[in-house]
Amino acid sequence: MARPRGGDRITPKKGGTRGRTDRDRQVYVYTEGAVTEPEYIDIIVKNGVWNRPDRKAQYHIANANAEGKHRKPHQMVKEAVGTRRKVEREAKAAGLKPYKVLKNGTEQGDWNWPQVWVIFDRDDHQGIPEAMSLADEEGIRVAYSHPCFELWRFLHYTNYTSTFSGVCGDANSRLRSRPGFAATYGPGVHRVSEQESKHMRKDQVLSKDGHRYESAKKYAKKINDGHSSSNPNAWDPYTNVWSFVEQGLLLSGY
């Protein structure tokens, strides 16, 4: 299982670095939400399955202490650029080479080359296309959900293909109404508020056979494939959080 690393630390602790080829991948994550997304990541890395047992990752919540004004998509991407440059300099100093997978599946460089991710929602934010464009130019990886992260959580319960008209509250309401959702907060709990639902519970996403994750991924890819517009503001609904799970954290499921 991946080892969680919270806080604002960029450089791994001294003495914790192994050799170039067997050190863990360091993954630096900027999250729009201060609660839901970090709790989700913590749950899946504690219970996830490695895609390859010889390749492991550690994650760092890079903006754990950030104020709300620093959690806007475009601002997070700009800050992530500085983090990427810093951690890549450190990786080069450690002897690592930039990693990429070619179209034919061939790998180049070191698989444990660090990655920087930004996880954000459409909500009613301005500048989403600009944030996406900057991320693409600067090598920042994005996990994007429209209208919000609750869609990804919702897909762990059921398929959904209709529009939310950009209203995150609608996605949250549908999530909270799913059979068994409220019970994850404790025996005898039948209703939870929107505010309470921001706190993740492991039974909302985990299953013994990994079926819930595989279903959520399948549903997400299907709805994503249905969008033809190049404007991410128009992708309603949309989520590619599964790419962060697999490409970033190196998990095959949970």
Side-chain angles (χ1 to χ4, degrees):
M1 301 176 190
R3 179 158 31 121
R5 295 285 299 278
D8 296 321
R9 176 183 295 275
I10 298 300
T11 307
K13 294 180 180 179
K14 292 182 179 180
T17 303
R18 299 196 298 267
R20 179 180 68 83
T21 58
D22 62 356
R23 61 187 291 176
D24 296 344
R25 171 187 288 173
Q26 305 299 316
V27 182
Y28 302 86
V29 191
Y30 286 79
T31 65
E32 178 182 339
V35 176
T36 308
E37 292 92 328
E39 289 186 352
Y40 166 76
I41 297 170
D42 189 50
I43 288 170
I44 67 171
V45 298
K46 287 181 178 178
N47 297 276
V49 179
W50 296 114
N51 182 48
R52 286 180 50 167
D54 60 330
R55 295 186 176 186
K56 300 181 179 181
Q58 296 181 20
Y59 80 87
H60 311 253
I61 301 298
N63 64 336
N65 301 317
E67 298 179 355
K69 64 181 180 180
H70 290 285
R71 293 183 180 272
K72 305 300 182 182
H74 198 263
Q75 179 63 32
M76 287 195 297
V77 172
K78 289 195 293 184
E79 294 181 10
V81 172
T83 296
R84 180 191 63 78
R85 292 172 179 170
K86 177 178 176 58
V87 300
E88 287 188 356
R89 285 197 302 268
E90 295 169 349
K92 289 179 181 178
L96 294 177
K97 297 180 180 179
Y99 174 78
K100 63 180 179 180
V101 179
L102 304 181
K103 291 183 178 180
N104 62 5
T106 302
E107 296 179 304
Q108 288 188 348
D110 291 303
W111 67 269
N112 47 6
W113 183 256
Q115 291 188 358
V116 182
W117 285 78
V118 179
I119 301 177
F120 60 82
D121 304 336
R122 171 65 183 98
D123 283 335
D124 57 355
H125 294 303
Q126 301 298 315
I128 294 291
E130 292 79 7
M132 293 279 208
S133 178
L134 178 61
D136 185 58
E137 292 173 4
E138 294 288 347
I140 305 300
R141 298 166 185 263
V142 171
Y144 172 64
S145 297
H146 191 322
C148 55
F149 189 79
E150 277 62 36
L151 168 63
W152 174 243
R153 298 171 67 188
F154 185 47
L155 294 178
H156 284 72
Y157 285 87
T158 187
N159 191 15
Y160 190 84
T161 58
S162 300
T163 178
F164 289 101
S165 299
V167 180
C168 183
D170 186 13
N172 182 275
S173 178
R174 291 176 184 273
L175 172 67
R176 287 184 287 122
S177 69
R178 297 309 303 169
F181 179 82
T184 64
Y185 291 87
V189 177
H190 301 291
R191 293 185 62 183
V192 294
S193 67
E194 184 171 345
Q195 185 65 27
E196 290 171 327
S197 72
K198 290 183 179 181
H199 291 277
M200 292 283 300
R201 296 294 183 265
K202 64 180 183 179
D203 290 342
Q204 296 167 9
V205 292
L206 300 181
S207 59
K208 292 182 179 179
D209 58 1
H211 174 73
R212 298 182 76 179
Y213 169 73
E214 287 300 326
S215 294
K217 174 184 172 182
K218 179 180 69 175
Y219 299 150
K221 294 182 75 172
K222 185 175 180 179
I223 62 175
N224 294 355
D225 289 344
H227 297 302
S228 58
S229 172
S230 60
N231 183 359
N233 289 336
W235 303 344
D236 183 7
Y238 178 95
T239 182
N240 69 330
V241 174
W242 58 270
S243 64
F244 167 69
V245 174
E246 298 184 11
Q247 298 172 23
L249 297 177
L250 303 175
L251 301 175
S252 62
Y254 47 78

